[in-house]
Amino acid sequence: MVQKSDVPARGHIYHTLLADGQSAVQFELAKIKDAESGDCILFGAGALLYTNYIYNTYIIGAFHKFPEPVAQKLRRALYYTNISLSPPDAIKYYRQALTVAEELGMDPFSDEILGVKLQIVALMEKSQQYQKAIDVLELVRRDCLKWIELFGEKPGNEGKRTRILGKQVGISVKLGELYAGEYIQEREKAEEAFVWAVETVLKEKKRREEQGVKEGEGDWMTDEEIGASLELNNLSISLAQQNPPSSSTTPHTSQIVSARAWATKALEIASAIKPPNRTEECDIGCAVATHNLGELLEMEGDKLGARERYEEARSIAKAVAFQEGVERAGEALKRIRKGE
């Protein structure tokens, strides 16, 4: 149950994770008004029953992998996260849980402890403390990458390296989303995080294909998992523009080139998936990726190439009864013809 850490330095990860404690996280507590009508009282009773069900099913029952002293703190933290939202109280109990986990020798890079840290990120995002969420994610990523650098190549750590590296891909994608969000809007940092995620996935995949899988490493992501976890199709277009291209809003050439490369990779991945693993989502993914390539070519001024991609996207969408894709491709073709 208790996993020993490869990094014995006491306090480094746990106490720096939320070093500022509650004083660093300024939250507004939600104001709860008393119900005044009979209907509200009945609703409140139903909500209470539902809340108790959630608490017993998902909170009390979710901690069998934690030592009980840690689980006790986490139950309180999740209560103040999911049931009775109070971020300062939740942060207090998350910190206590991490401290107790460290004292008991739990591995700070285990799925369980990394999950606690990501739950803290979710709480901060839920409370619209986006910069604090980014700060915690950056700290977690830094410490994990440092572990990989120091211990990842040591005999016996092959499987752990795979697991931690895979989690860093997801963390980087989440960082990219937060940096690109309307409340932060740091596009360069978003692009850096997205690029790292994509390059890391493909680099590890290529290494295994060329050198073989080391004993104990375990599986890396399949093409289908790469497409799902990275959402390559969405990442590609998010670095350019969500809106249809126009002459008045042209993104940087480097962004378009990167986005086009990722959209192409998304199309390759979706096209390579064969039955029985191939699903309707794969077919729709091909249509969307093809359409996105058309938009990126249009942004580069390649009207002919864009038109070919839009026509191909419309054809794929028709074949799989993806009506939205048919309509969007049709609109794009009209836009191309109008500009010719």
Side-chain angles (χ1 to χ4, degrees), residues 3 13-14 17 66 98 106-121 136-137 139-141 143-144 160 163-168 171:
Q3 299 171 313
I13 291 175
Y14 293 101
L17 176 62
F66 289 93
L98 291 171
M106 287 192 75
D107 183 354
F109 302 101
S110 65
D111 285 345
E112 290 76 26
I113 296 302
L114 289 176
V116 172
K117 296 172 183 178
L118 296 180
Q119 182 63 36
I120 294 170
V121 173
V136 175
L137 281 176
L139 182 58
V140 173
R141 183 169 72 160
D143 287 337
C144 285
K160 186 172 181 178
R163 177 176 57 78
I164 293 176
L165 186 62
K167 290 201 180 307
Q168 297 324 294
I171 286 175

Side-chain angles (χ1 to χ4, degrees), residues 237 240-253 256-257 259-260 289-311 328-340:
I237 203 66
Q241 291 180 346
Q242 292 293 342
N243 297 321
S246 70
S247 58
S248 61
T249 55
T250 303
H252 296 302
T253 300
I256 297 176
V257 171
R260 181 155 49 82
T290 303
H291 183 98
N292 283 351
L293 280 171
E295 288 196 345
L296 294 166
L297 288 168
E298 188 177 352
M299 290 176 190
E300 291 181 300
D302 185 355
K303 303 295 184 182
L304 179 59
R307 184 171 62 185
E308 290 176 352
R309 286 297 187 177
Y310 288 141
E311 289 174 346
R328 289 200 60 186
E331 293 169 0
L333 286 168
K334 288 179 182 179
R335 184 173 64 246
I336 290 287
R337 295 188 190 103
K338 186 177 180 180
E340 290 179 343

Side-chain angles (χ1 to χ4, degrees), residues 162 208 213 217-221:
T162 297
R208 288 165 174 249
V213 179
E217 273 191 321
D219 295 331
W220 186 237
M221 299 179 184

Side-chain angles (χ1 to χ4, degrees), residues 119-186:
Q119 182 63 36
I120 294 170
V121 173
L123 169 66
M124 293 177 178
E125 188 177 6
K126 183 177 182 179
S127 304
Q128 298 185 333
Q129 296 290 322
Y130 300 107
Q131 186 57 56
K132 194 65 180 179
I134 287 173
D135 292 343
V136 175
L137 281 176
E138 288 284 16
L139 182 58
V140 173
R141 183 169 72 160
R142 184 201 70 188
D143 287 337
C144 285
L145 292 178
K146 190 66 175 177
W147 183 92
I148 291 173
E149 177 186 345
L150 295 176
F151 303 101
E153 299 302 323
K154 289 190 174 183
N157 283 343
E158 293 86 358
K160 186 172 181 178
R161 175 191 173 276
T162 297
R163 177 176 57 78
I164 293 176
L165 186 62
K167 290 201 180 307
Q168 297 324 294
V169 171
I171 286 175
S172 291
V173 171
K174 185 60 183 177
L175 276 169
E177 292 175 355
L178 289 171
Y179 278 127
E182 60 178 318
Y183 297 101
I184 303 297
Q185 295 187 10
E186 294 191 37

Side-chain angles (χ1 to χ4, degrees), residues 2 10 13-15 17-18 63 65-79 81 88-108 110 112-117 119-120:
V2 179
R10 182 184 180 91
I13 291 175
Y14 293 101
H15 295 306
L17 176 62
L18 293 174
F63 299 105
K65 292 185 178 181
F66 289 93
E68 183 56 27
V70 180
Q72 288 177 354
K73 302 298 183 182
L74 288 176
R75 291 187 190 105
R76 299 301 297 170
L78 286 180
Y79 175 83
T81 299
D89 288 320
I91 290 293
K92 178 180 72 174
Y93 285 109
Y94 282 128
R95 291 185 66 219
Q96 289 179 8
L98 291 171
T99 299
V100 173
E102 179 192 12
E103 291 172 351
L104 292 176
M106 287 192 75
D107 183 354
S110 65
E112 290 76 26
I113 296 302
L114 289 176
V116 172
K117 296 172 183 178
Q119 182 63 36
I120 294 170

